[in-house]
Amino acid sequence: IDTGVDYTHPELVNNIWSNTDEIAGNGIDDDGNGYIDDIRGWDWVNNDNNPMDDHSHGTHVSGTITAQGNNSIGVAGVAWNVKIMPLKFLSSGGSGSTANAVLAVDYATANGANLTSNSWGGGAYSQTLYDAIARANANNIAFVAAAGNDGVNNDSSPHYPSSYDLPNIIAVAATDDDDLKASFSCWGPTSVDLAAPGVNILSTTPGNSYGTMSGTSMATPHVSGICALIRSVSPNIPVAQMKQVLMNSVDHIASMQGLVVSNGR
Ligand code: CA
């Protein structure tokens, strides 16, 4: 759930979800999910069936999750055989509405996602968004979320959606290449779960290109990829148990002691 995905990128083209219940281009909502000709997700910014990335953020996080491995080019994602369902609610300028975020979360829930990767946030508390994530939880769908880049303690300054108190939310802080907390990363001894690499991350960008980006946005898809790997070996694992596997298998690095629930990266 992001700015869309360049689903033609050579590293991603084989790992894009296809809505097999929809017939392309016939102008009919074949599967009755409320969206016409949504063969690979949806774009709520432009209200059409083409979730192409016109920013770069969504393509970058997608590459961290699943850039193709062992193909002798570019980079490799965490999980090489996932299917990305491109759900675009962030504009070419990187902003979006909470109302459209709710629609994107509900689309993922209705169309069989295992998890959503949410490298976004900053809005006010929203009961409707909380309820949408709770519906995802009821359907055993993980909600992996960036802890935010304001460098503050989320326990006292909540960051949404990562700070909603729901069992399926996995809130992710960022570390650097020295295993230190990224200076920009939010933390929270009770509200942020774990850390992942998020500084100078090389990944895919639109137009068959690559680039480095930094942020808890870049840490989040590392965790999403691991969740996908867990589901690949244990497809029916309950989301709470999947989260526990993650929490129990972090590396306990010094910089994260007392800053996140798991004390680790
Ligand atoms: Ca449809």
Side-chain angles (χ1 to χ4, degrees), residues 19 21-22 28-38 107:
N19 183 3
D21 295 328
E22 193 76 14
I28 297 169
D29 179 14
D30 300 286
D31 61 357
N33 68 352
Y35 296 92
I36 295 170
D37 293 340
D38 56 321
Y107 185 102

Side-chain angles (χ1 to χ4, degrees), residues 14-16 65-69 77-84 225 228-229 232:
N14 295 325
N15 289 353
I16 302 296
I65 296 171
T66 192
Q68 192 167 336
V78 173
W80 298 355
N81 291 303
V82 311
K83 295 300 180 192
I84 297 277
L229 287 175
S232 76

Side-chain angles (χ1 to χ4, degrees), residues 137-261:
N137 181 61
N139 284 274
N140 211 21
I141 300 169
F143 187 96
V144 187
N149 302 327
D150 301 316
V152 301
N153 182 349
N154 287 355
D155 286 10
S156 49
S157 301
H159 171 271
Y160 301 111
S162 65
S163 291
Y164 291 123
D165 187 14
L166 286 164
N168 60 329
I169 294 180
I170 302 166
V172 185
T175 53
D176 67 13
D177 51 351
D178 290 321
D179 255 347
L180 300 175
K181 186 184 83 68
S183 57
F184 56 75
S185 181
C186 293
W187 75 97
T190 68
S191 62
V192 178
D193 294 302
L194 42 68
V199 175
N200 295 326
I201 303 301
L202 179 65
S203 186
T204 50
T205 47
N208 191 16
S209 62
Y210 301 85
T212 57
M213 296 187 189
S214 297
T216 54
S217 282
M218 284 65 243
T220 297
H222 286 94
V223 178
S224 301
I226 295 168
C227 287
L229 287 175
I230 293 171
R231 277 272 162 87
S232 76
V233 294
S234 185
N236 299 315
I237 188 172
V239 65
Q241 194 177 337
M242 180 166 71
K243 180 175 179 179
Q244 204 55 50
V245 169
L246 276 169
M247 302 295 278
N248 291 348
S249 54
V250 296
D251 289 323
H252 294 109
I253 59 176
S255 66
M256 280 296 131
Q257 298 306 310
L259 296 190
V260 294
V261 178

